[in-house]
Amino acid sequence: MDVQELEGKVNISCESTELEVSESTICTITGTTNEEISGLQFHLIMDKKVVIDEIKTSSIWEGDGEEGNFGLYTDENKTGTFEIGTFKVTAKKGGTVKIGAEDISFSSASFELVPLQDEVLKIKVKRDNLGFILGIIIGVIGVIFLITFFLKRKK
């Protein structure tokens, strides 16, 4: 008898992968597997340049996601491609941001735990140009003030 080994993958996709500072996007976590699974676990990772909130698991899953560590299970044994959950990402600082899932495992229908590859998505956050420009203006005003002050003092 030919026994097929459980294979799977977790994917993270977002409505937008380019944000402005303070802008948000909704991201979706999906799973794909060639065999039925009864559960999964993973740790949600995020860069300190973003805030992740409004985490909602798909209605087929039970369990929780305390401090980014998810342990989910279902009575429906999923196969193929399925939604795991969604979350909101809000950018705090500019630069390239990494979000993803690590320490991913699927639990087979017979409750065997199968480790999977980590998933990382990069989001580009445009730097806050207004803050940068205001900083330059304040710096120039400060330099002008110092020059004026020293020139008046020499007289």
Side-chain angles (χ1 to χ4, degrees):
M1 182 173 150
D2 187 26
V3 178
Q4 188 174 5
E5 197 171 307
L6 173 67
E7 294 177 4
K9 179 167 178 35
V10 167
N11 186 52
I12 298 176
S13 60
C14 298
E15 292 174 353
S16 177
T17 55
E18 289 190 19
L19 299 174
E20 301 277 342
V21 173
S22 300
E23 195 174 27
S24 299
T25 188
I26 300 296
C27 299
T28 302
I29 306 172
T30 56
T32 304
T33 181
N34 63 333
E35 295 285 318
E36 288 188 339
I37 66 163
S38 59
L40 56 94
Q41 61 187 32
F42 64 92
H43 177 75
L44 188 62
I45 56 173
M46 69 182 127
D47 194 298
K48 292 180 181 180
K49 296 176 187 173
V50 295
V51 174
I52 293 180
D53 59 6
E54 296 181 23
I55 301 171
K56 299 174 188 162
T57 56
S58 177
S59 62
I60 62 162
W61 300 106
E62 296 187 43
D64 60 21
E66 195 170 301
E67 294 184 20
N69 294 307
F70 288 83
L72 306 173
Y73 62 93
T74 182
D75 293 332
E76 299 178 27
N77 287 356
K78 300 308 292 177
T79 188
T81 300
F82 50 88
E83 184 176 297
I84 298 169
T86 61
F87 57 93
K88 179 178 164 186
V89 175
T90 303
K92 294 186 333 186
K93 292 183 180 177
T96 300
V97 176
K98 293 180 184 179
I99 58 172
E102 63 183 4
D103 302 326
I104 306 166
S105 295
F106 281 177
S107 178
S108 69
S110 59
F111 306 108
E112 176 188 352
L113 210 55
V114 178
L116 303 175
Q117 185 173 336
D118 293 351
E119 166 71 2
V120 177
L121 175 69
K122 292 181 181 179
I123 295 178
K124 293 179 184 175
V125 180
K126 296 177 186 170
R127 301 205 184 273
D128 185 2
N129 291 336
L130 180 60
F132 179 72
I133 292 169
L134 286 175
I136 289 174
I137 291 171
I138 290 170
V140 169
I141 291 171
V143 169
I144 292 171
F145 174 77
L146 287 174
I147 291 171
T148 307
F149 176 77
F150 285 116
L151 287 177
K152 283 184 179 180
R153 199 167 174 199
K154 280 189 169 185
K155 290 182 180 183

